[in-house]
Amino acid sequence: MEYVVEMKNITMDFPGIRANDDVSLSVKKGEIFALVGENGAGKSTLMNILYGILTPTTGEVIIKGKKVTAFNPKNTIAAGVGMVHQHFMLVPSFTVAQNIVMSREPRKWGLFCDDRGAVEAVRSLSEEYGLHVNPEDVVREISVGLQQRVEILKTLYRGADVLILDEPTAVLTPQETDELFAILRRVVKEKGMTVIIITHKLYEVMAISDRVAVMRQGKLVHLEETKNVTERSLAAMMVGRDVVQVQQQEKAAPGEEKIRVRDLQVQDNRGLPAVRGLSLSVRAGEVVGIAAIEGNGQSELLEAITGMRTYTGGSIHVNGTDVSGMTPGQIRDLGLSHVPEDRLSTGVSPDADITDNLLVGKHRQAEFTKFGFHQNRKAIEGYASRLFEKFDIRASGMDARVGSLSGGNMQKVVIAREFSFPSDVLVISQPTRGVDIGANEFIHSRILEKRNEGAAVLLCSADLDEVFRLSDRIVTIYEGKITGEFEAGTITKAELGYYMTGDRKAGGAIEA
Amino acid sequence: MKRKFDWSYALSLGLAVTLALFLGGVIMALTGHDPIAAYRELLRGATGCSSLGEFLTSAFTKRQFGNTIEYAMVLFLTGLACALGARVGIFNVGGEGQLYLGAIVSAYIGVLLKDTAPILAVLAAALGAVAIGGFYAWIPGVLKVKLKVNEVITTIMMNTIAIYLCSWLSNGPWKTTVPNRVSGTDPLNPDFTFDKLIRGSNLTTAIFASIVIAFLVWYVMSKTTVGYEMKLVGQNSRFARFAGLSADRLTILAMTVSGMMCGLVGMFEVYGLKGNYQDGISNEYYFDGLLVAMIMRYKPVGIIGMSFAFAFLKVGAQGMELNAGVPGELYRIIQAIIIFFMAAQNGMTGIVKKWFAKKGGAVRG
């Protein structure tokens, strides 16, 4: 039997979007198969179908010669396919052994968990595969790299010989990545396992895979032996050779410096350096777009500028004022508006109604209060309904909970609020993530409108098309540093993708 | 923002109360009491009246009804204090300790100032109670905001500290010198105590101050800029910070005011009821208020209404015990059943809806 996994003509429709469009691919026994593509290209959807979490709209999946009839992870695991998700599914307070044997614990008298038996089982398993862990360590206290090992061991314990890894290196340090790759090579070679790895880091594809499939906008655009491709050619396939849409706008006439970042150092939530000595300027009347793959410090950079995160070194000036130690509110008072990356957790109060969400920030203005403390509901409701109309927010009414709105309408609430301040500095992150086409165009024209009015706009988006369409200047960030800076129209997307992966020379993959 | 009345919640609340009273009746019947007679005694115990006519004409002369109103006052003040904190997302479980400290400090001020004008002494006592209660709530507020210390744990611990501190003070340094009294502070100058509104009852002029306070809390929470900010902080504090609100300041402020109110309730107990500080001055009053606040989902108007219902039950239970021989603990059972049903409200609504859906489907089929 040559193929362990065959996926035939898979199409997956979600409301309003086709995530997979007639995708067919087959994976050979004993190979490392890489699946690459931009965010939203449909890689994870495809693998979730293979793993049985999703049922495809049409198409069929054949695992080891047997056609899958009921899509269910339980059946998939029984068929010997295991998946390690990007976000680990471990119980932090349990030991390594307890996590691995969970749901299939060795029993004592058929009733009690046999903890010692679990430790022994895990120990012999980890020796067999060369995945060294201490079964008695508590998961909370071990490194992310080790946690990933625990996840892999969990699938092995359940008898998997086909392993799906979703962005396994996104959370790893380079050393941990090297170790992971060494392990993968060993299990494939010595144990005859098959590995499918989802990634968007091209040098990793070159370093580890035997074959590579490229996805773009839900379609499989290329399937090739890795030795026949280069990082550069993969990048071109990933983003497509489409002609970059010309900006419908006159040339920018940048004015004074509005955002000034110098030698900035910022740490991420784990206390590891995320932004490492980054300098950047945004001038009045221009849009500066940040092109970077997720997790390269761009989120931390924007949070530092807007005051949502403290920084450990360097300086940030907004409208000429050093913002060190300022709260987000104080920075807003300097004339900054912010569309945050995660609208649900940061950009809105989901339990409050549309009116209350639109008002924040202006609620203390004289026109909305009486005697300085009493809320003037009439004026507030009038103001909110004007914004509601102007930004074309679609909802059952002004008193609808914002949490009940669709992603696009929720984003319009954020945009409506943030764009109605008289601010001349805008920090915008993922303005159209999960937003439908119509709202997308609307939001883009609002951003350009602000720029034409002379605002300085710092834009960050995972959608390269968006960065291209809106930006006057594009900077690429990789691992917390700027790797390139380009005037609009002087670079193609393919070249850009290449700077986003760390300015590596074509074909010069990292040896693990 | 239109004020929407939550009908489904009101319905399940009514259902819970009815079911609780029914189950209470079943328990009474099982223990050999006559439920109907017992509930009649409960009504009489809470109002002092035997008929609706009597209630309408002379309720405000009845000792029992006065006690019911007084206890409702304690419940809505403490319940609103709890709601203030909850609105910004901080859960003040320490009201009991704040109440005790307010009681003993106001009692001690009254003793110290026994020769001054009553108005001055009472004002000073009220200020003292408010200050100590507020300060005692400010501590866990600051700990929560600055050091992320869980306020539930700190406030529960601080309750114990406060209660034993008061016990020590009232049995030690501040113990009365009046002969034949074993504990408690000196009795207050009789001119200082609040006037009774109904002879023989617990109801005093403190109710007027309480009504004003309750109105203010409702007003601030639902009509003002600060109330709006508090709501946003409580709903999503990250968003509030992002939008430029000082979430930390508001959290500490709400917690402090919550403590002030509890301190004042302590003072009301001393100056209205007991005439001095004594151990056990609050019989877990704050926790009853907290329950009311939780059941009514921290909505001010609901808290005030439910306070009267619970006060009615509790005071009525005493009459029931006295005249029908049903143990007063039954009140606790009924209260617990109501809370139990309200906690299960979401699940119950789901079951009822499903049941109706199935029935509807069967009819159509």
Side-chain angles (χ1 to χ4, degrees), chain A residues 308 328-329 332 338 340 345-349 352-353 356 359-360 363-364 369 373-375 377 381 417, chain B residues 1-2 4 219 222-226 228-229 231-232 235-236 238-245 249-250:
Chain A
M308 294 297 286
R332 277 175 180 274
H338 179 21
S345 78
T346 316
V348 296
S349 177
D353 61 19
D356 280 356
L359 178 68
V360 198
H363 60 281
R364 282 185 177 276
T369 57
F373 55 84
H374 185 93
Q375 281 202 309
R377 290 311 301 191
E381 276 157 24
R417 183 186 61 233
Chain B
M1 183 183 59
K2 279 180 206 79
K4 274 175 296 182
Y219 174 75
S222 48
K223 296 285 171 196
T224 65
T225 314
V226 174
Y228 168 79
E229 291 184 347
K231 187 174 74 181
L232 290 178
Q235 282 170 340
N236 182 353
R238 184 172 163 87
F239 168 68
R241 197 163 77 87
F242 158 82
L245 307 182
R249 201 174 51 84
L250 282 166

Side-chain angles (χ1 to χ4, degrees), chain A residues 79-323:
Chain A
V81 177
M83 182 160 178
V84 176
H85 294 269
Q86 201 172 351
H87 302 285
F88 300 152
M89 311 207 171
L90 298 171
V91 184
S93 56
F94 277 21
T95 65
V96 166
Q98 283 167 335
N99 265 289
I100 291 172
V101 302
M102 194 181 298
S103 86
R104 290 157 194 240
E105 301 88 353
R107 295 289 162 121
K108 229 188 259 173
W109 307 315
L111 191 60
F112 302 104
C113 291
D114 179 3
D115 265 358
R116 195 168 302 157
V119 169
E120 283 317 310
V122 169
R123 190 160 284 147
S124 67
L125 190 73
S126 92
E127 273 160 22
E128 185 185 345
Y129 285 91
L131 283 151
H132 299 292
V133 290
N134 179 0
E136 282 156 303
D137 281 346
V138 176
V139 160
R140 183 174 42 217
E141 287 160 9
I142 62 178
S143 71
V144 179
L146 279 175
Q147 289 181 17
Q148 188 171 55
R149 234 176 245 193
V150 174
E151 281 279 13
I152 295 173
L153 279 168
K154 201 162 84 180
T155 61
L156 295 176
Y157 181 79
R158 293 172 179 181
D161 55 6
V162 178
L163 195 56
I164 308 169
L165 301 164
D166 189 358
E167 309 256 2
T169 60
V171 291
L172 299 185
T173 64
Q175 293 73 25
E176 286 170 332
T177 303
D178 293 347
E179 280 172 39
L180 172 71
F181 284 0
I183 289 165
L184 292 181
R185 282 196 201 93
R186 193 162 57 235
V187 295
V188 167
K189 205 165 153 199
E190 294 173 9
K191 301 286 170 187
M193 288 190 60
T194 309
V195 174
I196 303 173
I197 179 169
I198 304 178
T199 180
H200 46 213
K201 296 186 183 168
L202 300 180
Y203 60 91
E204 292 179 1
V205 175
M206 305 308 295
I208 188 149
S209 69
D210 300 311
R211 285 199 305 152
V212 55
V214 182
M215 289 189 71
R216 187 171 73 229
Q217 289 167 3
K219 293 195 176 83
L220 185 74
V221 293
H222 207 81
L223 182 61
E224 178 83 79
E225 296 212 2
T226 308
K227 61 175 190 273
N228 298 334
V229 296
T230 63
E231 261 188 74
R232 192 177 281 262
S233 67
L234 277 179
M237 287 182 246
M238 253 168 84
V239 294
R241 280 249 182 246
D242 312 324
V243 180
V244 178
Q245 205 170 334
V246 184
Q247 295 181 350
Q248 300 98 341
Q249 53 176 284
E250 62 272 37
K251 189 109 178 67
E256 56 174 320
E257 194 175 41
K258 291 289 188 180
I259 300 177
R260 180 191 162 89
V261 176
R262 286 294 173 272
D263 298 318
L264 189 68
Q265 308 270 354
V266 190
Q267 292 179 343
D268 65 13
N269 289 338
R270 291 173 294 161
L272 301 173
V275 177
R276 313 164 191 222
L278 185 147
S279 300
L280 180 82
S281 288
V282 187
R283 298 177 176 282
E286 70 168 349
V287 178
V288 174
I290 294 175
I293 289 160
E294 260 180 88
N296 276 289
Q298 69 271 44
S299 304
E300 287 82 0
L301 167 68
L302 297 199
E303 284 178 4
I305 293 173
T306 55
M308 294 297 286
R309 186 180 285 272
T310 52
Y311 48 95
T312 49
S315 69
I316 300 173
H317 287 79
V318 172
N319 259 337
T321 309
D322 187 343
V323 302

